[in-house]
C-alpha cells in the first residue's frame, strides 16, 4: 500500500487526512497538500489498528510527545501501561517507547495495541541489547530490528543517521560531550570499528522498510547540545546539514520525515535554531526536546524546558518532546508523566496563542469568563488538569457551598478584586457590566487547543485502557 506521502502526491485525500482535517478544523485538501509537500507528517503505520490519526506540521496546532519506557533497573509491563495511560489522558499527541530493559517486544506490542496515538521507538536501543558489546552490532542486525518493529506497528522511529565519523572530532571541546544515547552508541561503534555510521550507509535500505509499512522518519539529533555551553556548535550544525540531505533522500523514496532538534539552548538562540532547521531541511516538521534554557535546576527541568518549548513553538517547531521533573535524575513514573504533560501542554498552547493560530485563545477567554463569574465548576471543567485545579481549591474551601462563593482562600471575601470590580459595576456609576461571549462549540481551534485534553477516538483500543477515566486507576497489562 502506498504511504500517506505517496497518496498525497497523487492527489488522494486519505481517511487519515480526513480525520486529521476534522481534528484540526482545516480543509482536507489543505492537509493533503501539506503532506504532499513534506511540510507535515501523519505517522500512521498500516499495522497500528488502535490509532486515531494526527498530524505534525508548523501550519497545524503544536503537538506534544511523551517519552515512556523501562530501563535495565526499573519498571514493568504494568507500570508502562500506567504511564501510557497517564500520557494519553493528560494530552500526549504521540508517545515514544524508549525501553532499554527486559521484555522489549512485549512492552512495545502492548503500547501499540493500547495506544490511540502514534508510537515511536529508537531501534538502536534494542539492537544493542542483543549483542555482547556495541562494536558487535552489525548493519544486518539493525535492519532486522527496524523491520521487526515496523511489522509490530511502530509509527515512527528515531534514526540517528546524521552522526558521521567526520563529525566526531567536532565534539572534542564540548562541556558535556555527546548526550544523545543513540548518538553516543554510534560514536562508540564508529570509534571502535573504524567504519562509517551504518544507519547512514544503509539509509536507503531503511527507506524501503519504512515505505512498505508507512513508518515515518524522526531523524535523530545525535549530536545535540547537552548544555548551554555546547549550543550552536560546529558538531550540532554539521549533523543538521546531513539531516537535510537525508530528508531529501527519504522524500525521494516516498517516506515521511520529521527532524529532531536540540535539547539545551539559551533563550536568545531558539528562534535561530528553528529557522535554520526549516531552511536546511526544506520545511520538514521540526520536533524539539525542550529546549532547556538553563542548566541550574535539576528536579525542575519540566519548567526550564517548557520555557524554551514555548518559544520554539512560537517560532515554528511542530512538535515538542516533553521533559519530566526526573530529567537527568531518574526514570519517570506516572505522576512525573502527568507533571511533564501539564508543562508541555501549556507550552504548546501558549505557543499557538502567540503564533495567532485560529481560535487558539478561545479556551483562555472561556476560562477567564468563568473565573470572573465565580463559576467554579466551569473553571474546573475548562482547566488543563481539572482534577488538580479542583483539588487545590478544595484543600482550603472543600464545602459545596464554596462552589458558589465569590472568593477563594487567596484573598478571602473582603479583598477579592473581581468581587470588588463586579460590585462597582453593579453600582450606578460609569462602569458597565461585563458579559461573557465565548462559545467553544463554535471555535475554529484545533481539538488540542480546546478542552478537555486527551480527547481521542478510542473505539479500537482494548477495554482495559479505554474504559478507565483516570491514570491512577489500577490497570493490568495481562488483561
Amino acid at each position: 500500500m502506498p504511504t500517506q506521502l505517496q497518496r498525497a502526491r497523487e492527489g488522494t485525500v486519505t481517511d487519515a487526512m480526513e480525520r486529521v482535517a476534522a481534528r484540526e478544523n482545516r480543509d482536507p485538501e489543505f492537509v493533503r497538500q501539506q503532506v504532499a509537500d513534506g511540510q507535515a507528517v501523519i505517522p500512521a503505520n498500516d499495522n497500528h489498528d488502535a490509532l486515531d490519526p494526527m498530524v505534525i506540521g508548523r501550519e497545524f496546532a503544536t503537538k506534544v510527545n511523551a517519552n515512556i519506557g523501562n530501563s535495565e533497573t526499573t519498571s514493568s509491563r504494568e507500570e508502562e501501561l500506567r504511564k501510557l495511560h497517564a500520557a494519553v489522558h493528560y494530552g500526549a499527541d504521540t508517545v515514544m517507547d524508549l525501553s532499554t530493559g527486559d521484555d522489549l517486544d512485549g512492552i512495545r506490542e502492548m503500547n501499540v495495541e493500547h495506544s490511540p496515538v502514534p508510537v515511536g521507538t529508537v531501534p538502536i536501543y534494542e539492537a544493542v541489547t542483543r549483542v555482547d558489546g556495541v562494536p558487535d552490532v552489525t548493519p544486518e542486525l539493525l535492519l532486522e530490528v527496524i523491520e521487526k518493529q515496523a511489522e509490530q506497528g511502530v509509527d515512527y522511529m528515531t534514526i540517528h543517521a546524521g552522526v558521521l565519523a567526520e563529525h566526531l572530532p567536532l565534539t572534542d571541546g564540548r562541556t558535556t560531550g555527546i548526550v544523545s544515547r543513540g548518538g553516543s552508541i554510534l560514536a562508540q561503534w564508529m570509534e571502535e570499528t573504524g567504519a562509517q555510521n551504518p544507519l547512514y550507509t544503509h539509509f536507503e535500505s531503511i527507506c524501503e522498510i519504512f515505505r512498505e509499512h508507512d513508518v515515518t522518519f524522526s531523524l535523530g539529533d545525535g549530536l545535540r547540545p547537552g548544555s548551554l555551553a555546547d549550543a550552536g556548535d560546529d558538531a550540532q550544525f554539521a549533523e543538521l546539514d546531513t539531516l537535510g540531505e537525508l530528508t531529501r533522500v527519504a522524500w525521494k523514496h516516498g517516506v515521511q520525515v520529521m527532524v529532531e532538534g536540540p535539547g539545551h539552548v539559551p533563550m536568545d538562540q531558539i528562534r535561530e535554531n528553528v529557522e535554520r532547521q526549516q531552511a536546511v531541511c526544506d520545511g520538514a516538521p521540526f520536533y524539539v526536546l525542550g529546549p532547556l534554557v538553563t542548566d541550574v535546576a535539576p528536579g525542575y527541568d519540566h519548567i526550564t524546558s517548557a520555557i524554551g518549548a514555548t518559544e520554539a513553538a512560537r517560532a515554528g517547531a511542530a512538535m515538542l518532546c516533553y521533559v519530566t521533573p526526573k530529567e537527568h535524575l531518574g526514570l519517570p513514573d506516572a505522576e512525573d508523566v502527568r507533571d511533564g504533560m501539564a508543562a508541555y501542554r501549556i507550552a504548546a498552547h501558549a505557543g499557538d496563542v502567540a503564533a495567532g493560530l485560529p481560535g487558539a485563545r478561545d479556551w483562555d477567554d472561556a476560562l477567564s469568563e468563568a473565573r470572573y463569574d465565580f463559576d467554579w465548576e466551569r473553571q474546573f471543567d475548562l482547566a488543563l488538569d481539572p482534577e488538580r485545579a479542583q483539588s487545590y481549591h478544595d484543600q482550603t474551601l472543600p464545602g459545596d457551598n464554596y462552589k458558589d462563593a465569590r472568593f477563594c482562600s487567596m484573598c478571602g471575601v473582603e479583598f477579592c478584586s473581581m468581587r470588588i470590580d463586579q460590585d462597582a459595576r453593579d453600582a450606578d456609576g460609569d462602569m458597565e457590566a461585563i458579559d461573557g461571549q465565548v462559545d467553544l462549540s463554535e471555535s475554529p481551534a484545533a481539538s488540542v487547543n480546546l478542552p478537555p485534553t486527551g480527547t481521542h477516538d478510542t473505539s479500537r483500543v482494548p477495554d482495559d485502557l479505554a474504559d478507565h477515566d483516570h491514570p491512577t486507576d489500577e490497570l493490568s497489562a495481562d488483561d
Side-chain angles (χ1 to χ4, degrees), residues 96 121-125 156-164 167 180-183 186 197 199 203 210 216-224 235-236 238-244 246-247 257-262 281 285-287 289:
M96 290 201 76
T121 61
V122 187
I124 196 170
Y125 296 171
Y156 68 96
M157 298 186 202
T158 295
I159 303 294
H160 296 91
V163 182
L164 303 185
H167 298 160
S180 158
R181 285 197 297 204
L186 286 163
N197 180 350
L199 296 175
F203 189 76
F210 279 21
T216 297
F217 273 108
S218 185
L219 292 177
D221 53 339
L223 299 181
R224 68 175 180 267
Q236 176 191 338
E239 180 187 27
L240 177 61
D241 289 341
T242 306
L243 297 182
L246 296 173
T247 295
V257 184
M258 57 184 170
V259 178
E260 298 182 13
C281 300
F286 201 21
Y287 165 28
L289 175 66

Side-chain angles (χ1 to χ4, degrees), residues 133-135 168 183-193:
V134 168
L168 301 184
S184 64
I185 290 167
L186 286 163
Q188 180 184 352
W189 189 91
M190 288 185 281
E191 286 285 286
E192 297 193 22
T193 66

Side-chain angles (χ1 to χ4, degrees), residues 198-472:
L199 296 175
Y200 179 78
T201 58
H202 291 71
F203 189 76
E204 297 203 62
S205 296
I206 300 171
C207 288
E208 293 173 7
I209 296 170
F210 279 21
R211 184 179 60 222
E212 180 179 353
H213 300 281
D214 202 357
V215 177
T216 297
F217 273 108
S218 185
L219 292 177
D221 53 339
L223 299 181
R224 68 175 180 267
S227 56
L228 298 191
D230 297 339
D233 67 359
D234 290 343
Q236 176 191 338
F237 290 135
E239 180 187 27
L240 177 61
D241 289 341
T242 306
L243 297 182
E245 167 201 333
L246 296 173
T247 295
R248 291 179 281 277
V249 173
W251 282 342
K252 182 183 70 174
H253 285 267
V255 178
Q256 300 183 95
V257 184
M258 57 184 170
V259 178
E260 298 182 13
H264 295 244
V265 180
M267 181 79 90
D268 61 303
Q269 297 180 25
I270 292 174
R271 176 168 289 277
E272 172 193 346
N273 270 261
V274 174
E275 291 176 349
R276 184 164 182 163
Q277 181 275 340
Q278 291 288 274
V280 170
C281 300
D282 296 339
F286 201 21
Y287 165 28
V288 297
L289 175 66
L292 284 72
V293 295
T294 180
D295 296 329
V296 301
Y300 298 94
D301 279 333
H302 60 311
I303 299 173
T304 65
S305 61
I307 294 169
T310 305
E311 176 65 9
R314 187 170 76 96
M319 185 160 76
L320 312 174
C321 183
Y322 87 160
V323 173
T324 76
K326 290 274 181 64
E327 185 76 8
H328 305 116
L329 301 173
L331 189 72
D333 59 20
E335 190 62 23
D336 298 316
V337 170
R338 177 183 186 174
D339 290 342
M341 279 308 310
Y344 271 72
R345 283 261 58 105
I346 293 167
H349 180 70
D352 287 348
V353 171
L357 264 65
R361 209 191 70 192
D362 290 349
W363 185 2
D364 303 75
D365 294 348
L367 196 145
S368 295
E369 290 176 359
R371 179 175 291 147
Y372 185 77
D373 291 340
F374 294 102
D375 187 340
W376 294 104
E377 296 292 355
R378 181 156 174 76
Q379 282 190 68
F380 303 150
D381 288 343
L382 291 175
L384 186 80
D385 185 341
E387 298 96 339
R388 178 69 57 85
Q390 180 162 356
S391 172
Y392 281 3
H393 174 272
D394 291 356
Q395 283 177 7
T396 50
L397 298 174
D400 288 343
N401 57 307
Y402 290 116
K403 301 301 187 294
D404 297 318
R406 296 173 68 208
F407 64 91
C408 71
S409 62
M410 177 71 182
C411 297
V413 180
E414 295 301 323
F415 288 93
C416 178
S417 59
M418 289 189 179
R419 181 198 62 76
I420 295 169
D421 181 81
Q422 286 180 1
D423 290 347
R425 293 178 186 279
D426 288 341
D428 294 329
D430 295 331
M431 298 171 67
E432 296 181 357
I434 297 175
D435 295 319
Q437 298 178 347
V438 176
D439 181 358
L440 290 181
S441 67
E442 299 295 325
S443 174
S447 60
V448 297
N449 280 322
L450 293 170
T453 59
T455 303
H456 307 279
D457 177 1
T458 58
S459 60
R460 296 174 298 280
V461 175
D463 290 344
D464 56 341
L465 186 72
D467 288 349
H468 286 74
D469 292 330
H470 302 285
T472 52

